[in-house]
Amino acid sequence: MLAWQVRTPGPIAHRPLERGSRPVPTPAPGELLLRVRACAVCRTDLHVVEGDLPVHRRPVVPGHEIVGEVVDGAYGFAAGERVGVAWLRSTCGTCAYCRRGAENLCPYSRYTGWDADGGYAQYTTAPAGYAYRLPDPYPDAEVAPLLCAGIIGYRALVRAELPEGGRLGVYGFGASAHLTAQIALARGARVHVLTRSPEAQRLALDLGVTSAGGATDPPPEPLDAAILFAPVGDLVPVALAALDRGGTLAVAGIHLTDIPALNYDEHLFQERTLRSVTANTRADGRALLDFASRHRLRVAVTPYPLERADEALADLAGDRVTGAAVLVP
Ligand SMILES: [Zn+2]
Ligand SMILES: [Zn+2]
C-alpha cells in the first residue's frame, strides 16, 4: 500500500515526509483493520514531521483524524462500517487520572500517528475501544476534521468556561477554530475572531461571527473567555489583556512558542485565568460527535489526493489552507 512516513524530522522545506510502499498492517488483538477513506491534516502532524514533538518511533506514518472502513468485522463493529480514529489511541485505564475520568492526562497514553502508524496511508489499524461511530449526514472528508480539530476545539471551549450567551475571543482561525466558533455561536455566544489571515477573516464572517480583526487587535468588547489556537506564545499576553475581569484564556495547541514575560496587573490580576488543554477524553469525542449530529456544522475542506500529502502539509505550514486540509486515498 501507499504510505507516507517520517524517518528524520526536520523543516518542511527539507521534505521530511517520505512517500513509500509498505505491506498492509496486521491488527494486534483488540484492534481493527481499516481501509482509510479520508484523513485530515492537523497542525500536530506538522509538529511531528518538523520535530517540535520528538518522534516516538521511526519511521512513523502520521495522521490522526481518520475516517476508515472496517475491513473485517470484530469487537462489535461490522465489516464495511464507517468509524473514526482520533489522536488518543489508548490509555492504561488504571492510573489515578484514568480512574477519575481524566484519561487525557494518563502518563501511559499512546497517540495515533506518533506512537503508532496513522492515516497518511491506504490502510491503518486502531484499537476498537477507541474508535468512534460517526454521524451520518457528513461525507468522509467533512467528518474527518471533526476527529481532532473538532474534538480539541470542543474541549478547549469547555476549558475556557464561556458563560451562557457570553463573549468569546478566538485567536487564530484554522480548522479547529472554524468549528469551535460555530459551536459557540450555536450556543448563543458573541464570537470575535482575531487572525492575521484575510481569507480566514472572510471565512469567519461568512460563518456568522460577530467580528473579525487582526491577530493583535483589541476585540470590540471585553471577553468572558478566549481560546488561543495559533501556536504563538506572543499572543498569550495579547489575549489575556483582552479578557474582562474573571475571564479565562485556554491554550488549545499541543505546542506553543515561548510566552513572553507577563505583567501581573495587565494580564492576570482581577482573577483572569490562563489554562492549557491536553488532548481529550473519549467522552469529549462522543460529546462533540453528538453535538455535530444535532447541529450540522459547516466544515470548510480543501481536499488533496493521498499522493500529495507532502504538499498538503507544506500548504498548512505556509498558511495557505482555508479550513481543513483532508487527504483522500
Ligand atoms: Zn492511565
Ligand atoms: Zn490533531
Side-chain angles (χ1 to χ4, degrees):
M1 68 168 186
L2 165 64
W4 290 87
Q5 57 190 32
V6 196
R7 204 179 303 272
T8 312
I12 197 75
H14 297 175
R15 304 200 154 247
L17 193 63
E18 301 166 8
R19 181 180 169 164
S21 174
R22 295 181 154 213
V24 171
T26 306
E31 289 185 347
L32 301 167
L33 175 63
L34 304 173
R35 185 177 69 78
V36 177
R37 285 165 52 152
C39 182
V41 177
C42 175
R43 188 164 289 278
T44 299
D45 303 338
L46 192 58
H47 295 317
V48 170
V49 169
E50 294 203 303
D52 299 321
L53 297 178
V55 282
H56 279 180
R57 66 197 288 263
R58 55 177 78 194
V60 67
V61 177
H64 59 269
E65 302 183 87
I66 306 165
V67 178
E69 188 178 305
V70 176
V71 175
D72 296 311
Y75 308 111
F77 291 94
E81 193 171 350
R82 188 173 79 147
V83 299
V85 180
W87 175 238
L88 186 74
R89 185 176 187 83
S90 65
T91 55
C92 78
T94 55
C95 73
Y97 308 100
C98 282
R99 285 203 311 273
R100 72 170 199 233
E103 64 182 1
N104 60 310
L105 301 179
C106 175
Y108 312 103
S109 54
R110 298 176 77 240
Y111 299 93
T112 312
W114 196 23
D115 296 292
D117 290 330
Y120 285 27
Q122 289 174 299
Y123 290 87
T124 193
T125 61
Y130 291 76
Y132 296 95
R133 291 199 155 83
L134 299 173
D136 282 334
Y138 295 81
D140 296 335
E142 288 185 33
V143 79
L146 299 183
L147 291 162
C148 183
I151 294 173
I152 299 293
Y154 183 86
R155 184 172 181 89
L157 189 59
V158 172
R159 295 277 293 160
E161 297 193 340
L162 179 68
E164 189 70 37
R167 302 156 296 176
L168 175 71
V170 172
Y171 289 82
F173 203 72
S176 192
H178 97 287
L179 297 170
T180 311
Q182 293 178 67
I183 298 169
L185 289 168
R187 290 176 168 177
R190 294 168 57 79
V191 178
H192 302 289
V193 170
L194 296 309
T195 176
R196 64 182 177 182
S197 156
E199 294 80 40
Q201 289 177 9
R202 270 196 296 278
L203 173 62
L205 291 170
D206 192 40
L207 291 171
V209 304
T210 315
S211 80
T216 57
D217 292 350
E221 58 184 340
L223 305 171
D224 299 302
I227 305 173
L228 176 58
F229 287 101
V232 181
D234 284 336
L235 290 175
V236 168
V238 173
L240 284 171
L243 292 176
D244 201 352
R245 294 173 174 219
T248 298
L249 169 63
V251 178
I254 190 170
H255 172 79
L256 190 70
T257 57
D258 286 346
I259 301 171
L262 299 178
N263 176 278
Y264 186 61
D265 216 43
E266 204 184 328
H267 302 127
L268 288 171
F269 195 56
Q270 304 296 353
E271 304 204 338
R272 280 167 290 183
T273 301
L274 171 61
R275 40 179 27 189
S276 68
V277 178
T278 301
N280 64 275
T281 63
R282 281 172 284 178
D284 295 324
R286 286 189 289 264
L288 177 274
L289 291 168
D290 180 57
F291 185 91
S293 71
R294 287 180 285 110
H295 301 263
R296 182 64 165 88
L297 299 172
R298 279 174 57 191
V299 189
V301 166
T302 306
Y304 292 80
L306 176 61
E307 290 77 8
R308 285 166 48 201
D310 54 344
E311 194 182 318
L313 214 49
D315 286 348
L316 181 65
D319 273 343
R320 291 185 294 272
V321 179
T322 303
V326 179
L327 306 179
V328 183

